[in-house]
Amino acid sequence: MNIYVNWRTSIRSVFKNRKRSLLTMFGIIIGIAAVITILAIGRGFEKDTIKNLNSGDSDAIEIQVNFTPKNESLYTSNVNFFNDTDREVIDQVTGVKTVTYPKTEGTIYKEISIADKKQTKQISLVKKSVQEILIGRALTTYDNDIENNVVVIDSVTAKDLYQTVENALERGFEIEGHLFQIVGIYQGNEMESMFSMPESNISIPEKVYERYFANDSSSSTLVVTLEQDATPATVTTDVIKRLEEKGTMKNFGEYIVFDTAMLTDGISQILGTITLFISCVAGISLLIAGVGVMNMMYISVSERTKEIGIRRALGATRNSIRLQFLLEGVTLTLVGGIIGYVIGIACAYLIGSLIDVSVSIDFFTIALAVGVSSGIGIVFSVMPASEAAKKDLIEILR
């Protein structure tokens, strides 16, 4: 009897006892589903984070170089912390592809005074606002063209400032000493969890930002993009060392870096720890499920003694009997693994939609579900299958 015929016999045996098979697979389904869910969400969250940190270019690794002066009064002076000479110094470091000033378009973060406390808010620099306005009006391209000092803010910020959104409309809004008028308010969302992606709190015209805050981005920070095969840690060390030797502000403060690669590595480590914890819990479930599979296979061997005897009498070898029960155990766990994978992906999409995180499905998760479930089937079916193969034909016929 070949493997195909043995496998068909195994599938018939599994589906013949549906209730018992389903209960045996239950632990495998839960274990596989838990691991697949956390892996799919974790990888999606990691990709979202990397995409945001790298301004949408997922392949480019960027190092953000900042300068911290010894004398804080330099922050309010007109001194540029970086200039073209510093860019040329960094550009000579091996592994550096480009050195640019950070873009002022897109999204920035500023500290806003709210109830005598400083809160960091995300500010979108726009030509016109796109959010659906609750009250007031949206920002238009005309506001941007004439550099109108107006903003639209979200309802959460509006309530923090003026208790109600109605009170906030047409009121003043200060950003680092510059006064704006609130002309519109859109719906805001509170941060629901650590997995929630930050959303824009304030929108202001691009040209207004450039007029008031252009020096912020051009003088205090440089963005270094690395070559494809460069090692971030090595390049970072070389850049700082070169600036400490030849930087124009080397005697007035300290050069520091914000390395997105290090940050993403840290995120990966945290997610790896969470995944390991969930995997350990799921592993216990899979171990218990494996014992259940072994128990069911022993019962199956005991109940089908006559079937084994008839097959042996018709010429089936011991290896053929062993293969039949081994395939039956693998089929049972593999079906459980596939069901667990489908449930895990469904749970990942459901949770991802609730906490606004992307879900990433790759070949590894599929291979993990198939590999683990098949492995459990093989390991915990070997002994029952061997016992079935060792049954003596004479004893069975008696």
Side-chain angles (χ1 to χ4, degrees):
M1 186 179 288
N2 57 34
I3 294 179
Y4 174 70
V5 175
N6 270 319
W7 201 298
R8 287 186 58 184
T9 305
S10 304
I11 293 174
R12 280 200 300 269
S13 300
V14 169
F15 285 94
K16 185 178 179 181
N17 300 297
R18 289 187 181 86
K19 290 183 179 178
R20 188 168 66 181
S21 300
L22 186 61
L23 291 173
T24 305
M25 289 188 292
F26 196 62
I28 295 174
I29 294 172
I30 292 177
I32 295 293
V35 173
I36 295 301
T37 300
I38 194 68
L39 278 178
I41 292 178
R43 287 171 184 263
F45 178 71
E46 186 178 2
K47 287 184 178 179
D48 284 348
T49 305
I50 293 172
K51 183 178 179 181
N52 289 335
L53 290 174
N54 292 336
S55 303
D57 186 355
S58 58
D59 295 328
I61 297 178
E62 295 179 346
I63 296 174
Q64 188 170 307
V65 183
N66 299 314
F67 177 78
T68 304
K70 297 176 183 175
N71 188 346
E72 293 187 356
S73 63
L74 286 176
Y75 283 117
T76 56
S77 68
N78 293 323
V79 175
N80 289 332
F81 295 163
F82 291 102
N83 55 36
D84 290 343
T85 302
D86 296 310
R87 291 179 58 190
E88 292 175 2
V89 168
I90 297 174
D91 198 41
Q92 294 172 1
V93 174
T94 303
V96 172
K97 183 178 181 181
T98 59
V99 184
T100 58
Y101 295 112
K103 297 177 182 179
T104 56
E105 59 185 15
T107 301
I108 60 170
Y109 291 87
K110 291 284 185 184
E111 286 190 337
I112 307 298
S113 295
I114 297 178
D116 298 328
K117 294 182 180 179
K118 293 285 187 181
Q119 291 189 19
T120 300
K121 294 291 184 180
Q122 182 175 314
I123 302 177
S124 296
L125 312 180
V126 298
K127 290 183 174 62
K128 61 178 182 178
S129 57
V130 295
Q131 297 92 346
E132 184 177 349
I133 300 298
L134 296 176
I135 59 172
R137 68 172 179 85
L139 297 182
T140 65
T141 54
Y142 183 70
D143 291 319
N144 187 55
D145 293 339
I146 66 171
E147 300 181 12
N148 197 8
N149 282 23
V150 292
V151 297
V152 294
I153 65 176
D154 68 359
S155 56
V156 176
T157 305
K159 291 177 181 176
D160 288 343
L161 286 168
Y162 297 106
Q163 286 73 51
T164 66
V165 294
E166 290 79 10
N167 288 341
L169 191 63
E170 306 297 340
R171 300 287 290 273
F173 186 82
E174 182 182 342
I175 304 176
E176 295 185 352
H178 301 286
L179 190 61
F180 296 81
Q181 183 184 25
I182 301 171
V183 296
I185 297 168
Y186 57 90
Q187 182 64 50
N189 296 313
E190 299 279 0
M191 290 286 287
E192 296 177 352
S193 71
M194 64 174 290
F195 294 106
S196 300
M197 300 303 294
E199 296 182 1
S200 174
N201 307 112
I202 302 155
S203 295
I204 67 174
E206 280 183 358
K207 289 186 178 180
V208 176
Y209 176 82
E210 292 172 0
R211 184 177 65 181
Y212 290 126
F213 306 104
N215 287 335
D216 288 358
S217 57
S218 64
S219 66
S220 62
T221 304
L222 285 177
V223 176
V224 180
T225 305
L226 308 190
E227 299 280 1
Q228 192 69 32
D229 56 348
T231 304
T234 303
V235 177
T236 300
T237 304
D238 292 344
V239 167
I240 295 299
K241 184 177 180 181
R242 195 68 64 88
L243 285 172
E244 289 174 346
E245 293 173 353
K246 299 181 179 180
T248 55
M249 297 293 290
K250 62 182 180 182
N251 296 323
F252 301 97
E254 181 184 11
Y255 293 103
I256 58 176
V257 297
F258 177 75
D259 186 350
T260 56
M262 292 173 61
L263 182 57
T264 53
D265 285 347
I267 293 172
S268 297
Q269 289 178 2
I270 293 172
L271 291 174
T273 304
I274 296 174
T275 303
L276 180 62
F277 174 75
I278 298 294
S279 299
C280 290
V281 176
I284 296 173
S285 172
L286 292 173
L287 179 64
I288 296 172
V291 174
V293 170
M294 180 182 284
N295 182 52
M296 176 184 168
M297 293 306 299
Y298 272 122
I299 294 173
S300 181
V301 170
S302 176
E303 291 177 345
R304 292 157 63 187
T305 301
K306 290 183 179 178
E307 176 188 333
I308 296 170
I310 293 172
R311 287 196 58 200
R312 289 294 309 280
L314 293 175
T317 63
R318 292 182 184 276
N319 287 335
S320 178
I321 299 296
R322 182 184 293 109
L323 180 62
Q324 178 188 345
F325 283 91
L326 194 62
L327 286 177
E328 190 170 320
V330 173
T331 302
L332 187 70
T333 55
L334 187 60
V335 171
I338 293 172
I339 295 174
Y341 178 82
V342 174
I343 293 176
I345 293 298
C347 289
Y349 274 107
L350 177 62
I351 296 172
S353 64
L354 293 176
I355 63 176
D356 195 21
V357 172
S358 300
V359 174
S360 176
I361 302 171
D362 52 22
F363 177 76
F364 175 76
T365 57
I366 299 174
L368 182 70
V370 174
V372 170
S373 55
S374 300
I376 291 172
I378 293 173
V379 170
F380 289 94
S381 300
V382 167
M383 293 178 64
S386 297
E387 182 174 304
K390 290 178 182 176
K391 286 188 177 294
D392 186 75
L393 177 59
I394 304 300
E395 291 294 328
I396 295 175
L397 293 178
R398 284 177 180 172

